[in-house]
Amino acid sequence: MTTLLVLYRRPDGGAEALATFERRYAEEHLPLVAQTPGLRATRIQRVSGALGGETDLVLVAAMDFDDREALDAGLASDPMRAAARILREIAPGLATFLVVDDTPEFA
């Protein structure tokens, strides 16, 4: 399995800016992501803290695909391109995207 892992940092502007980001993320971005071909599962988690220090991370999203080819096809799809446009509006420069693969040899 290949997962697109997205780490979201806190937007500038305090609690109101964070609430606006979260509302638009849930109402506008995620419904488009859900339409992505090849997407097996999506998990959204709120960051509640960091061990040993502070963090500016607020949300983590994990989107699972069968493999890298399925991820690449999903990223090229119309729903994901539309979701990316919205994300650029609501979280400019706040997201870090990682592609991670299952590693059964470490299980």
Side-chain angles (χ1 to χ4, degrees), residues 15-65:
E16 185 176 327
L18 179 59
T20 298
F21 161 70
E22 288 182 350
R23 178 185 51 76
R24 291 192 66 194
Y25 186 79
E27 294 175 2
E28 299 174 40
H29 178 73
L30 287 179
L32 291 166
V33 169
Q35 298 174 33
T36 301
L39 181 65
R40 296 290 183 192
T42 302
R43 295 175 309 285
I44 310 298
Q45 297 174 300
R46 188 177 309 281
V47 176
S48 59
L51 297 179
E54 304 225 356
T55 183
D56 64 345
L57 296 175
V58 293
L59 288 179
V60 175
M63 292 157 277
D64 297 332
F65 294 83

Side-chain angles (χ1 to χ4, degrees), residues 34-102:
Q35 298 174 33
T36 301
L39 181 65
R40 296 290 183 192
T42 302
R43 295 175 309 285
I44 310 298
Q45 297 174 300
R46 188 177 309 281
V47 176
S48 59
L51 297 179
E54 304 225 356
T55 183
D56 64 345
L57 296 175
V58 293
L59 288 179
V60 175
M63 292 157 277
D64 297 332
F65 294 83
D66 287 338
D67 52 32
R68 182 59 192 253
E69 292 77 23
L71 169 62
D72 290 343
L75 291 174
S77 71
D78 289 340
M80 192 60 94
R81 284 198 309 269
R85 281 192 296 276
I86 290 171
L87 193 58
R88 285 191 296 274
E89 289 177 20
I90 67 174
L94 298 179
T96 298
F97 299 86
L98 304 171
V99 176
V100 297
D101 294 304
D102 285 349

